[in-house]
Amino acid sequence: MAKTYDYLFKLLLIGDSGVGKTCVLFRFSEDAFNTTFISTIGEDTAGQERFRTITTAYYRGAMGIMLVYDITNEKSFENIKNWIRNIEENASSDVEKMLLGNKCELEDKRQVSKERGEQLAVEYGIKFIETSAKASIRVEEAFFTLARDIKANTEKKLVCIWIIFVFLINLYIIVNHCE
Amino acid sequence: MEDNQEEVLEIFTQDGVLITTAPATYIHYLNNVGTLLIVEYPNSNLTRCIEWKPLDLTIDSDVQDQEWTVVSTVERRRTYSGSLPVDVNRSKHLKINMNDIKSFRVSHKNQKLTFRDGKGDNVCSFIFQHGNCDGLIAVLKGILKTIVSRRDKHVYCILDDIKNPERQQLDKSFAELNLFQEQSSAYVWKFVKNFPNRPYEATMEAFSKITDIVYRGPEHRLMDSEVHNILHRSLEAIENNTTTHSHDEYELIAHVPRLPALKEYPRGRPLSFEQWKALQDSEGQVEDVEAVKLVIFRGGISSNVRKEVWKYLLDYYRWKCSHAEQQNLIKQRNEEYFIMKLQWRSMTKIQEDNFTDYRERKSLIEKDVNRTDRTLDYFAGDNNPNLQVLYDILMTYAMYNFDLGYVQGMSDLLSPILYLMNNEVEAFWCFVGFMNKVSSNFDMDQAGMKEQLQHLHTLTAFYDPEFANYLYKHDSANMFFCFRWLLVWFKRELSQQDVMRLWEVLWTDLPCQNFHLLICVAILDTEKNILMENNYGFTEILKHINDLSGNIDISTVISKAEGMYNQIVDAEHLTDAVRLIIGLPILGNTSIVDSKEASPDISDLTTNGDTDEVSYENALTHSFL
Ligand SMILES: Nc1nc2c(ncn2[C@@H]2O[C@H](COP(=O)(O)OP(=O)(O)OP(=O)(O)O)[C@@H](O)[C@H]2O)c(=O)[nH]1
Ligand SMILES: [Mg+2]
């Protein structure tokens, strides 16, 4: 852990396989887009449905969760509801959530309108942003918004958070995740 | 119910409790065995009491002298709740108002409990002949606010009472720390920043700041309930942390069996072309398959024969076939492959539109093919024809085994095979052979993975109880951090060359089945000190294990795993649970680990991780899935 950090949060990116979670994270941490990535296995960003039973173990201690879908893939949007149910069953109830519609530069392949994304977010009372890891659109904004919300949330309950940090020793670093 | 009928709620009862110290009024009860109760009188201001009632027959004179040496051979009987009208004899109970208790001390392997009045006198003490007082302590912790004494770690001070001096001072300390005002955030975040580097020191430093204030100044301030709750939670957490280190008063009863020493098993030379040819007869049949496998297990395969030998190891070729039969087989397999390939290639657009399962599968494969080993020359660049072959094989496999279809990770397993074979049909059939060995990794319900993780835990617990106990205490007994290792057989951790060397060793099934689990145990054994010294929890362990990728020396790991295998099979205390995993015949005289009854909450409360005995037992008994 060579870098220094102002804040440490454990943050998860969740969504179907291939929606671009790893790319979004990489865009945020390294400001780059890399097409030679490998699919994620056994980390807290894994997406394939079969591994859902395993990924629930990773929810523990998470302070923020980004729900990611691919705007060119209707199914990945429909599955957001399943992911939310999964979160409700496995993560702490006050975890900050945010909805991300990724690959938004692919306007001609769009299957999910921005309005539907917004509507779903309203339904669940969470924030919504359309991003593109490839074209570098609003990725930073998404992370900072979520991080700010977590921070605001935590300052309200400062002492509680402090105690959690001390005793559960469950920290994670949002900006240092990618391999 | 009428008000004059006093209601009583039994929060806790435990039989077989001997009373050894009692207030003067109850002196006649001394050294009698009876039932200990925690009761609540909802209609009375005498809200909670510790009660004890004699068992009529009592006086177990044996017990008097030996005290706690009565070990927990008697089955525990406990109930945790129940509301009943006051029984007429209740007046005869030894009854102590909880408000008169300021602390309690646990001793004699958690079989003795002494309540104190805070003025230096013991109010009463009990010896638990049936089991221990863990259950009672759990209940007391639930209804009282307790903190482990700084002077004696076996003493729990009760903070519930507003007049308690320690409590008053703690109240004040929090007020002085100003945790609820703005400036505090700077302090807290500074602390939090420090935390990942030196979690333990940071914690202790922070708490020394609190306790310093605690013991200064008599002024009394009331906490609001929120602060009080938080304080309570923090104290509970400290308590749970610190009690895990206290065990010096106890004696070890069980002897922890030791493993024989780890011996060195240097790697051998790879199977050479000459050796390979020498092991085949003129017809091309391999007589002594075990001899071939043994050489491969010891040293792998030279690159100039690897391609051919893999076909045998992966059941594409038959060991006992002549060249002619082999040729025939190859021809058949070739035809079969192209039939299956044609099946999906000839799917029309409309068929596809009406076939959701197929479409989803196809899209998964497309996504993963584009993300498989693209940094290797063999798969690099856009429009690389090898990507198309990778795709075709995976699609054909999805037709070959439609029930399984395609699951993430399968492209990883195919990649080295295709790279080596550099031939679509051969790679397909070798891949089929590999998948036959590991298809349970991709079960829909993940049963195969869960079982392996559990086996891995069992092996770890047997090999290194202390480490297994550490994992248990850090929410990691599920071994999920090894998920990727197991799913794709270390493909993501090793270079292409190294993964090939490992796989061929594992395919020999030598020296035992599930040797890949011992590979995991060997790597974990190398890393455990880092994990434990840094006091890593689940997230950090996961990150650390993921970050090992690219830094594993596979030859060293294989020989270490072989050494561990030999330690395990030579162990006198080898259990059936371990025998089952590594494929040895079971003896039926050791119990297969299963202790769903052992409540982790309660054992966690009082077990003391520093002793081998306890860690050994914990490690063996904590099942997790
Ligand atoms: N056009 C476009 N493609 C993207 C974008 N983000 C990711 N991709 C592509 O989508 C594919 C999947 O991206 P990943 O980031 O690996 O997906 P993931 O969500 O991490 O998937 P899993 O690891 O399997 O759960 C890759 O081929 C990326 O190149 C984007 O913003 N625009
Ligand atoms: Mg990913």
Side-chain angles (χ1 to χ4, degrees):
Chain A
M1 296 195 190
K3 297 184 191 173
T4 59
Y5 307 96
D6 290 336
Y7 297 94
L8 299 162
F9 302 120
K10 174 167 171 174
L11 200 124
L12 305 182
L13 281 91
I14 282 170
D16 283 7
S17 178
V19 297
K21 300 178 294 293
T22 303
C23 290
V24 163
L25 198 53
F26 193 68
R27 166 62 70 192
F28 177 69
S29 60
E30 309 293 321
D31 195 22
F33 185 76
N34 188 335
T35 49
T36 62
F37 270 125
I38 50 179
S39 65
T40 312
I41 292 176
E43 269 174 70
D44 38 10
T45 59
Q48 191 165 350
E49 175 165 24
R50 202 154 307 197
F51 300 134
R52 249 172 238 180
T53 50
I54 297 293
T55 51
T56 55
Y58 304 135
Y59 288 140
R60 205 177 304 132
M63 300 167 81
I65 296 180
M66 282 204 181
L67 289 143
V68 189
Y69 67 91
D70 171 355
I71 66 142
T72 70
N73 182 335
E74 170 75 31
K75 185 85 194 300
S76 73
F77 180 70
E78 286 165 14
N79 274 338
I80 289 290
K81 289 194 168 153
N82 296 329
W83 285 110
I84 290 183
R85 199 175 324 121
N86 200 258
I87 291 169
E88 281 166 356
E89 284 164 13
N90 297 285
S92 98
S93 58
D94 56 358
V95 60
E96 279 298 325
K97 292 180 283 271
M98 181 166 192
L99 184 63
L100 246 65
N102 190 41
K103 308 197 188 179
C104 75
E105 95 285 359
L106 296 175
E107 204 46 68
D108 51 328
K109 291 193 187 158
R110 183 189 279 276
Q111 290 182 358
V112 184
S113 71
K114 197 172 172 189
E115 288 68 36
R116 287 174 67 206
E118 278 163 353
Q119 204 184 329
L120 188 71
V122 168
E123 216 173 287
Y124 286 101
I126 59 181
K127 288 191 178 155
F128 169 68
I129 283 187
E130 281 197 349
T131 58
S132 167
K134 188 172 186 175
S136 188
I137 303 172
R138 285 186 293 271
V139 173
E140 278 213 344
E141 187 185 328
F143 274 89
F144 285 136
T145 307
L146 185 63
R148 237 190 332 267
D149 289 350
I150 296 172
K151 187 170 159 268
N153 209 344
T154 56
E155 280 182 347
K156 260 184 265 157
K157 293 178 276 173
L158 196 56
V159 175
C160 293
I161 292 302
W162 172 55
I163 287 161
I164 288 164
F165 272 139
V166 175
F167 298 107
L168 300 187
I169 315 169
N170 221 346
L171 311 180
Y172 213 57
I173 301 141
I174 45 178
V175 282
N176 194 24
H177 177 83
C178 272
E179 21 322 64
Chain B
M1 191 177 279
E2 289 293 339
D3 224 318
N4 55 4
Q5 165 90 59
E6 199 181 17
E7 211 189 316
V8 57
L9 191 72
E10 291 189 356
I11 302 172
F12 176 87
T13 68
Q14 184 160 351
D15 298 336
V17 179
L18 177 84
I19 179 162
T20 58
T21 312
T25 24
Y26 299 104
I27 203 114
H28 54 285
Y29 282 148
L30 277 186
N31 295 323
N32 284 2
V33 178
T35 306
L36 185 74
L37 308 99
I38 304 288
V39 292
E40 191 171 292
Y41 295 90
N43 302 333
S44 158
N45 50 5
L46 183 84
T47 32
R48 279 180 193 141
C49 286
I50 297 160
E51 296 191 0
W52 180 91
K53 64 173 177 194
L55 193 79
D56 292 329
L57 356 150
T58 48
I59 309 189
D60 184 348
S61 55
D62 274 351
V63 177
Q64 292 179 36
D65 310 324
Q66 296 172 317
E67 283 203 337
W68 61 277
T69 49
V70 184
V71 191
S72 56
T73 46
V74 188
E75 201 189 310
R76 296 179 198 192
R77 269 173 295 155
R78 280 197 212 121
T79 48
Y80 284 90
S81 62
S83 179
L84 37 145
V86 181
D87 108 42
V88 270
N89 289 325
R90 201 145 212 129
S91 53
K92 293 192 181 147
H93 290 186
L94 176 151
K95 190 180 289 186
I96 293 158
N97 190 326
M98 213 80 110
N99 291 335
D100 296 333
I101 304 294
K102 294 294 178 284
S103 68
F104 53 92
R105 182 170 197 276
V106 185
S107 60
H108 298 109
K109 209 159 173 56
N110 295 357
Q111 287 187 307
K112 182 168 179 177
L113 187 63
T114 304
F115 291 97
R116 295 167 165 180
D117 64 1
K119 296 178 210 113
D121 286 329
N122 292 346
V123 180
C124 51
S125 36
F126 300 97
I127 299 211
F128 293 74
Q129 300 185 341
H130 296 178
N132 56 33
C133 58
D134 293 358
L136 175 58
I137 293 188
V139 170
L140 288 175
K141 282 187 180 176
I143 60 176
L144 300 169
K145 292 165 178 50
T146 58
I147 172 185
V148 173
S149 161
R150 297 191 315 146
R151 272 152 271 159
D152 180 343
K153 51 203 168 185
H154 302 292
V155 172
Y156 296 77
C157 301
I158 298 167
L159 298 174
D160 217 11
D161 174 16
I162 209 81
K163 290 181 274 323
N164 181 312
E166 287 205 45
R167 155 76 186 280
Q168 283 175 24
Q169 286 162 335
L170 280 165
D171 293 354
K172 180 172 173 306
S173 74
F174 264 75
E176 285 184 7
L177 271 176
N178 267 334
L179 286 177
F180 289 85
Q181 285 164 30
E182 246 123 56
Q183 318 88 286
S184 64
S185 61
Y187 169 73
V188 171
W189 286 116
K190 177 172 156 266
F191 166 69
V192 166
K193 268 203 285 190
N194 261 332
F195 190 70
N197 302 324
R198 340 167 275 129
Y200 190 72
E201 296 80 354
T203 307
M204 287 307 141
E205 196 178 286
F207 271 90
S208 69
K209 280 190 184 135
I210 297 177
T211 46
D212 280 348
I213 305 165
V214 170
Y215 290 92
R216 264 186 273 130
E219 196 191 325
H220 176 170
R221 264 185 254 174
L222 264 181
M223 281 185 276
D224 68 38
S225 66
E226 192 190 359
V227 182
H228 185 266
N229 271 341
I230 289 160
L231 170 62
H232 176 52
R233 280 169 51 194
S234 73
L235 293 175
E236 231 169 34
I238 300 186
E239 184 179 359
N240 287 336
N241 270 356
T242 50
T243 48
T244 59
H245 297 289
S246 59
H247 204 263
D248 35 7
E249 187 173 289
Y250 309 147
E251 277 177 38
L252 288 185
I253 294 174
H255 163 71
V256 181
R258 303 258 167 235
L259 290 166
L262 179 66
K263 293 201 206 90
E264 291 215 9
Y265 290 84
R267 301 289 298 148
R269 300 180 65 79
L271 178 75
S272 67
F273 179 80
E274 293 74 25
Q275 264 177 312
W276 172 243
K277 286 299 156 203
L279 284 155
Q280 284 176 306
D281 66 15
S282 54
E283 274 296 297
Q285 302 183 29
V286 179
E287 272 307 313
D288 195 348
V289 178
E290 288 316 303
V292 178
K293 287 189 174 172
L294 195 62
V295 178
I296 298 172
F297 170 69
R298 294 240 51 86
I301 306 171
S302 294
S303 50
N304 56 353
V305 275
R306 177 173 277 150
K307 183 173 167 177
E308 188 175 336
V309 180
W310 273 32
K311 291 177 190 167
Y312 288 86
L313 286 170
L314 293 172
D315 302 325
Y316 177 38
Y317 289 174
R318 303 273 179 266
W319 298 98
K320 311 268 181 205
C321 265
S322 67
H323 281 308
E325 288 167 319
Q326 209 82 275
Q327 284 311 313
N328 209 14
L329 213 75
I330 293 169
K331 195 164 154 269
Q332 272 176 27
R333 297 282 187 102
N334 207 38
E335 280 166 16
E336 207 179 326
Y337 177 78
F338 286 108
I339 291 170
M340 291 186 288
K341 185 173 176 181
L342 195 65
Q343 287 170 348
W344 63 267
R345 294 271 288 214
S346 57
M347 192 87 77
T348 67
K349 170 98 178 42
I350 296 169
Q351 277 182 301
E352 210 178 306
D353 287 347
N354 293 332
F355 198 169
T356 313
D357 266 6
Y358 173 82
R359 250 188 354 260
E360 281 173 6
R361 206 158 277 195
K362 187 174 158 192
S363 123
L364 273 176
I365 293 175
E366 274 164 8
K367 276 181 193 138
D368 278 2
V369 162
N370 285 319
R371 296 186 292 172
T372 304
D373 287 331
R374 300 297 300 280
T375 50
L376 295 180
D377 287 347
Y378 193 79
F379 295 111
D382 296 337
N383 304 319
N384 183 322
N386 292 326
L387 290 182
Q388 184 63 45
V389 180
L390 197 68
Y391 174 83
D392 287 359
I393 295 175
L394 291 170
M395 286 296 288
T396 307
Y397 186 81
M399 299 308 284
Y400 172 81
N401 187 347
F402 208 91
D403 284 342
L404 182 59
Y406 177 79
V407 186
Q408 232 168 355
M410 283 166 57
S411 70
D412 287 88
L413 298 185
L414 172 58
S415 156
I417 294 175
L418 177 58
Y419 166 80
L420 180 68
M421 298 297 154
N422 197 24
N423 172 304
E424 183 172 341
V425 182
E426 289 175 351
F428 173 82
W429 287 110
C430 287
F431 176 65
V432 168
F434 194 6
M435 283 304 297
N436 286 343
K437 296 177 193 290
V438 294
S439 63
S440 77
N441 283 12
F442 302 99
D443 288 342
M444 195 59 199
D445 58 2
Q446 291 286 289
M449 287 302 296
K450 285 177 184 170
E451 185 186 70
Q452 288 180 73
L453 292 167
Q454 197 154 20
H455 285 170
L456 177 56
H457 184 260
T458 305
L459 290 174
T460 308
F462 181 78
Y463 190 81
D464 188 346
E466 190 199 347
F467 179 51
N469 198 39
Y470 175 88
L471 293 175
Y472 173 76
K473 292 206 160 144
H474 291 75
D475 284 340
S476 304
N478 53 32
M479 311 300 277
F480 282 152
F481 50 88
C482 295
F483 185 84
R484 188 169 79 191
W485 291 0
L486 297 173
L487 185 80
V488 291
W489 278 27
F490 303 92
K491 169 70 170 55
R492 294 285 178 91
E493 332 303 320
L494 302 171
S495 69
Q496 190 88 331
Q497 282 303 317
D498 280 355
V499 88
M500 291 164 77
R501 287 163 61 201
L502 175 65
W503 285 0
E504 60 203 17
V505 166
L506 295 177
W507 287 333
T508 64
D509 270 331
L510 291 172
C512 63
Q513 72 180 33
N514 284 320
F515 187 61
H516 68 297
L517 297 179
L518 289 171
I519 298 282
C520 298
V521 178
I523 303 175
L524 290 178
D525 189 66
T526 312
E527 299 306 319
K528 69 165 186 189
N529 286 338
I530 300 178
L531 307 184
M532 287 163 68
E533 276 161 19
N534 290 297
N535 200 22
Y536 283 164
F538 178 80
T539 305
E540 294 89 351
I541 295 176
L542 177 70
K543 181 163 166 44
H544 180 83
I545 296 296
N546 278 343
D547 289 350
L548 289 179
S549 179
N551 294 312
I552 295 173
D553 177 356
I554 199 59
S555 298
T556 312
V557 170
I558 296 173
S559 51
K560 182 168 184 181
E562 188 183 359
M564 292 175 142
Y565 164 77
N566 284 295
Q567 280 180 290
I568 290 171
V569 290
D570 291 342
E572 281 167 21
H573 60 294
L574 185 57
T575 59
D576 276 353
V578 172
R579 288 171 162 274
L580 266 179
I581 297 169
I582 59 178
L584 291 177
I586 58 169
L587 303 175
N589 54 7
T590 45
S591 63
I592 300 212
V593 180
D594 180 46
S595 63
K596 299 245 157 61
E597 316 163 359
S599 154
D601 298 351
I602 290 176
S603 57
D604 207 16
L605 206 71
T606 42
T607 49
N608 301 278
D610 291 344
T611 71
D612 286 350
E613 177 207 350
V614 177
S615 11
Y616 181 72
E617 304 221 318
N618 274 354
L620 286 182
T621 53
H622 294 135
S623 51
F624 58 92
L625 283 168

